[in-house]
């Protein structure tokens, strides 16, 4: 009989409870005490257990992330990076934690150029150790837990350790992701785990991960530092070098010196609310804020969910994405005019460029107050899809909105000690200059690549009203804005807002409309206004919790993935 950490359930008992809760309704979209919504029922259950035994939202975030790493390994984990918004109810303070990966100290701007000086292809850059940044997720959670945790660090790893040791059923989405992933069979350890007997993992297969269970036990016992200093870090460096097409990869010193950072939140008044997000190195908070700042000049409630609203939204997104491409990168390395990008007068001028009758051409960047004097070239990088988002509100009113990633699905494809390493360095622009001008988001030693992740908390009367965020690569700000306006302007509940078909413009040639959704009905009107409409699968993974003035919670989970909501 194996010894269990306190509070552990066996995997069989957990599975039974999961079925019970899903059938008998503890998995609830309404609650008054606490709530958690995430991309996989096992992870949601782990968070629910922590919250129902008095843990804080910070405690629950650790448990949820560790289980997600195991059951949704394609999207996030300790081999990746994350941004966390945390509302401390007692101190009435919002904190934002930057756990973004860093480039190796020795990395140069030319890292992803060929010998001929051309930009490497995405997959050439992404697959293997050369794309791996120093992981930050564990350090970000460590800060959160030290500041706001009440339960012992060690206990929070128990659900993931049990599931990894005793096994969990491979979900349909994981099976589909394995079957569709490119280059997932390139490296031995990764192939052995995801292609047992040479075949891609099938849905329903009972999967164990003994190596990951061991890794988690070490971190549970020894703390986050065990990951950053010692044999785990040594194994990461060895795996990176063994699979890298380049020199100057991450080193033991890079890993040992990694720091997660507390940064100031980025906030903007929108209607009767204050919308807060994460600042650089993610573009999320600023881009969401810019779009909302422009939309505040239009009566969206009067328009209702319509082609007219979709047009205005798409035009505002084009203008915001133009600024994003020009100005936003790691603010520790480049001067980002963050205040200017959200300046009320500047956004009023940008909003005035929107013609409600017709689509504008591709938008150029504006010149916000504080824009750098040196002219930059716009980034061309768009972003991929290996990310997850979860939201948690505990019984004391503390709240977490956390977006977490290993960049593309399955990251760099490098599996070490049972977890995947990110390919976050491909979130940099692979071309450092264009037309003789520097690109702000170029690779530099120690720098954090620009992200699109947009964890958001909306405040009403100075307390959290809505927690929301999503995966989705460079479409993330668009998914988040759609959900925000559906709740804040159109009065929808979070589930209805998430379910609404997506419309998303990134200032490329296409106006993306979600295939097989109600939004496709907008196509003819948008085309008549001059948009090039493209119907696509738009796989967001939105999770949201709304809290009314009486403390009643209403949650939403994205049916485009496998998430759920539980609360009490
Ligand atoms: N790698 C996805 C993002 O950071 O936006």
């Amino acid at each position: 009989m194996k010894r269990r950490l306190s509070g552990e359930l066996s995997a069989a008992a957990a599975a039974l409870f999961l079925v019970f809760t899903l059938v008998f309704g503890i998995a609830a979209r309404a609650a008054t005490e606490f709530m958690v919504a995430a991309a996989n029922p096992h992870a949601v259950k782990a968070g629910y257990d922590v919250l129902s035994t008095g843990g804080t939202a910070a405690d629950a975030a650790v448990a949820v992330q560790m289980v997600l790493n195991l059951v949704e390994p394609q999207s996030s984990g300790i081999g990746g990076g994350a941004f966390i918004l945390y509302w401390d109810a007692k101190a009435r303070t919002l904190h934002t934690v930057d756990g973004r990966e860093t480039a190796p100290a020795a990395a140069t701007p030319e890292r992803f150029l060929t010998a001929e000086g051309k930009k490497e292809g995405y997959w050439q850059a992404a697959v293997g150790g050369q794309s791996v940044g120093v992981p930050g997720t564990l350090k970000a959670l460590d800060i959160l837990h030290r500041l706001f945790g009440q339960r012992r660090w060690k206990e929070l790893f128990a659900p993931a350790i049990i599931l990894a040791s005793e096994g969990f059923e491979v979900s349909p989405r994981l099976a589909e992701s394995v079957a569709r992933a490119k280059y997932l069979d390139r490296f031995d350890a990764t192939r052995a785990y995801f292609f047992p007997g040479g075949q891609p993992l099938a849905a329903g297969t009972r999967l164990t991960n003994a190596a990951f269970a061991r890794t988690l036990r070490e971190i549970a016992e020894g703390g986050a530092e065990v990951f950053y200093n010692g044999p785990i870090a040594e194994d990461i460096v060895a795996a990176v070098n063994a699979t890298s097409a380049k020199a100057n990869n991450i080193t033991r010193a890079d890993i040992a010196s990694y720091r997660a950072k507390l940064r100031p939140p980025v906030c903007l008044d929108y209607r009767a609310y204050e919308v807060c997000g994460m600042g650089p190195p993610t573009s999320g908070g600023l881009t969401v804020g810019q779009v909302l700042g422009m939309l505040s000049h239009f009566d969206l409630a009067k328009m209702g969910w319509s082609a007219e609203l979709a047009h205005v939204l798409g035009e505002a997104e084009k203008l915001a994405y133009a600024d994003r491409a020009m100005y936003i990168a790691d603010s520790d390395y480049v001067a980002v005019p963050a205040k200017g990008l959200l300046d009320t007068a500047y956004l009023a001028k940008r909003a005035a460029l929107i013609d409600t009758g017709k689509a504008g051409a591709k938008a150029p960047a504006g010149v916000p107050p504080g824009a750098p004097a040196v002219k930059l070239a716009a980034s061309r990088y768009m972003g991929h899809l290996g990310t997850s988002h979860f939201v948690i509100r505990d019984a004391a009113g503390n709240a977490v909105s956390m977006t977490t990633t290993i960049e593309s699905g399955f990251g760099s494809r490098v599996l070490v000690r049972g977890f995947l390493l990110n390919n976050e360095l491909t979130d940099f622009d692979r071309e450092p200059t264009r037309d003789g001008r520097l690109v702000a988001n170029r690779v530099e030693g120690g720098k954090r690549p620009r992200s699109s992740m947009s964890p958001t908390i909306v405040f009403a009367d100075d307390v959290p009203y809505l927690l929301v965020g999503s995966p989705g690569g460079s479409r993330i700000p668009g998914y988040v804005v759609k959900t925000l306006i559906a709740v804040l302007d159109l009065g929808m509940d979070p589930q209805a807002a998430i379910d609404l078909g997506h419309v998303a413009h990134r200032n490329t040639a296409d106006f993306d409309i979600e295939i097989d959704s109600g939004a496709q009905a907008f196509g003819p009107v948008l085309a008549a206004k001059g948009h090039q409409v493209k119907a696509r699968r738009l796989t967001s993974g939105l999770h949201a919790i709304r809290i009314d003035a009486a403390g009643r919670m209403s949650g939403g989970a994205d049916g485009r993935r496998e998430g759920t909501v539980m609360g009490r």
Side-chain angles (χ1 to χ4, degrees):
M1 178 79 179
K2 271 191 262 116
R3 201 169 61 82
R4 292 190 194 290
L5 301 173
S6 68
E8 286 181 354
L9 280 175
S10 74
L16 252 180
F17 181 83
L18 206 62
V19 171
F20 181 86
T21 54
L22 293 175
V23 172
F24 294 100
I26 300 173
R29 294 223 168 92
T32 52
E33 281 183 65
F34 56 80
M35 184 171 266
V36 48
N40 180 284
H42 287 293
V44 172
K45 165 74 170 58
Y48 180 95
D49 286 348
V50 171
L51 296 170
S52 65
T53 51
T56 65
D59 293 324
V62 179
V64 169
Q65 174 64 86
M66 296 311 141
V67 175
L68 282 176
N69 192 154
L70 178 72
V71 300
E72 197 197 32
Q74 69 273 29
S75 295
S76 75
I78 59 177
F83 295 112
I84 311 172
L85 267 56
Y86 191 84
W87 170 249
D88 175 0
K90 198 163 167 212
R92 296 176 70 86
T93 306
L94 178 66
H95 299 272
T96 69
V97 189
D98 166 5
R100 186 67 163 168
E101 298 90 334
T102 52
T108 64
E110 294 74 30
R111 185 170 186 81
F112 295 117
L113 295 182
T114 63
E116 294 75 41
K118 295 257 176 323
K119 179 171 84 164
E120 284 182 351
Y122 177 79
W123 290 111
Q124 186 185 351
V127 177
Q130 68 281 353
S131 66
V132 178
V134 178
T137 297
L138 206 52
K139 273 271 166 92
L141 287 170
D142 182 46
I143 288 193
L144 200 71
H145 182 259
R146 281 173 196 276
L147 291 174
F148 306 113
Q150 273 172 16
R151 296 276 296 276
R152 286 188 305 158
W153 172 257
K154 172 175 151 173
E155 291 171 27
L156 307 172
F157 288 73
I161 292 171
I162 287 285
L163 280 171
S165 314
E166 299 189 4
F168 66 97
E169 280 194 0
V170 170
S171 73
R173 184 170 165 78
L174 172 54
E176 191 200 341
S177 303
V178 171
R180 288 161 62 112
K182 289 183 178 167
Y183 312 112
L184 192 55
D185 56 357
R186 177 161 300 175
F187 306 120
D188 293 346
T190 320
R191 187 169 56 245
Y193 184 58
F194 291 108
F195 298 85
Q199 295 303 311
L201 279 172
T205 305
R206 190 148 203 90
L207 185 63
T208 56
N209 189 338
F212 190 51
R214 274 194 301 278
T215 305
L216 290 182
R217 278 202 185 90
E218 287 179 32
I219 299 167
E221 294 290 339
E225 216 39 52
V226 161
F227 181 94
Y228 290 88
N229 271 300
I232 299 178
E234 262 165 41
D235 287 357
I236 292 173
V237 170
V240 161
N241 285 323
T243 57
S244 178
K246 300 181 194 297
N248 296 337
N249 300 306
I250 58 172
T251 62
R252 286 289 308 278
D254 290 331
I255 299 176
S257 60
Y258 181 84
R259 298 283 173 268
K261 297 186 177 183
L262 287 164
R263 299 209 185 251
V266 162
C267 297
L268 174 108
D269 290 336
Y270 180 70
R271 317 283 187 208
Y273 307 94
E274 187 183 23
V275 179
C276 291
M278 186 83 216
T282 184
S283 59
L286 290 171
T287 303
V288 166
Q290 281 205 299
V291 177
L292 291 177
M294 287 182 260
L295 291 180
S296 68
H297 295 274
F298 298 86
D299 189 347
L300 303 188
K302 194 164 160 206
M303 289 177 184
W305 186 239
S306 60
E308 276 63 38
L309 188 156
H311 167 72
V312 169
L313 172 60
E315 291 296 295
E317 287 177 347
K318 281 161 66 177
L319 291 157
Y321 271 81
D323 281 355
R324 169 188 183 272
M326 185 65 77
Y327 299 115
I328 306 179
D330 182 348
S331 51
D332 291 343
Y333 282 71
V334 298
V336 179
K339 244 178 108 186
L341 287 168
L342 293 185
D343 180 77
T344 310
Y346 173 66
L347 290 176
K349 264 201 247 162
R350 295 290 274 171
L353 299 173
I354 297 173
D355 181 337
T356 53
K358 108 170 182 290
K362 184 179 166 76
V367 185
V374 178
K375 279 219 173 338
L376 297 165
S379 159
R380 285 203 185 136
Y381 175 68
M382 275 304 166
H384 286 252
L385 292 166
T387 305
S388 203
H389 182 85
F390 58 86
V391 285
I392 303 169
R393 203 259 195 176
D394 68 26
N398 305 302
V400 162
S401 183
M402 171 163 169
T403 315
T404 173
T405 188
I406 55 169
E407 215 306 88
S408 77
F410 301 97
S412 63
R413 276 74 181 139
V414 181
L415 188 84
V416 54
R417 287 178 171 252
F419 62 89
L420 285 162
L421 295 176
N422 68 83
N423 64 304
E424 220 69 52
L425 301 188
T426 56
D427 262 356
F428 285 115
D429 275 70
R430 302 195 292 287
E431 284 174 306
T433 57
R434 196 163 318 106
D435 305 327
R437 289 179 182 167
L438 286 170
V439 175
N441 186 39
R442 62 193 177 277
V443 182
E444 295 181 81
K447 190 176 178 182
R448 299 173 187 224
R450 184 188 63 209
S451 170
S452 302
M453 296 195 285
S454 312
T456 302
I457 298 185
V458 178
F459 291 83
D461 296 326
D462 298 326
V463 288
Y465 173 69
L466 182 66
L467 323 174
V468 65
S470 181
S474 55
R475 293 190 181 87
I476 291 173
Y479 296 151
V480 170
V481 169
K482 182 216 75 173
T483 310
L484 288 172
I485 61 176
V487 174
L488 306 181
D489 290 279
L490 308 182
M492 293 184 182
D493 70 39
Q495 190 60 57
I498 289 169
D499 292 346
L500 215 53
H502 291 306
V503 294
H505 212 311
R506 296 174 300 162
N507 202 27
T508 58
D510 296 335
F511 194 162
D512 298 329
I513 303 288
E514 187 174 9
I515 205 159
D516 296 334
S517 81
Q520 272 196 271
F522 303 159
V525 177
L526 294 173
K529 287 183 190 285
H531 292 286
Q532 181 174 303
V533 176
K534 179 93 181 170
R536 294 179 193 275
R537 249 182 102 191
L538 293 175
T539 317
S540 57
L542 287 149
H543 293 100
I545 297 174
R546 187 185 61 194
I547 310 120
D548 72 13
R552 287 180 299 244
M553 284 166 266
S554 165
D558 202 326
R560 299 167 186 87
R561 300 200 182 198
E562 293 171 330
T564 189
V565 184
M566 285 178 80
R568 188 172 77 191

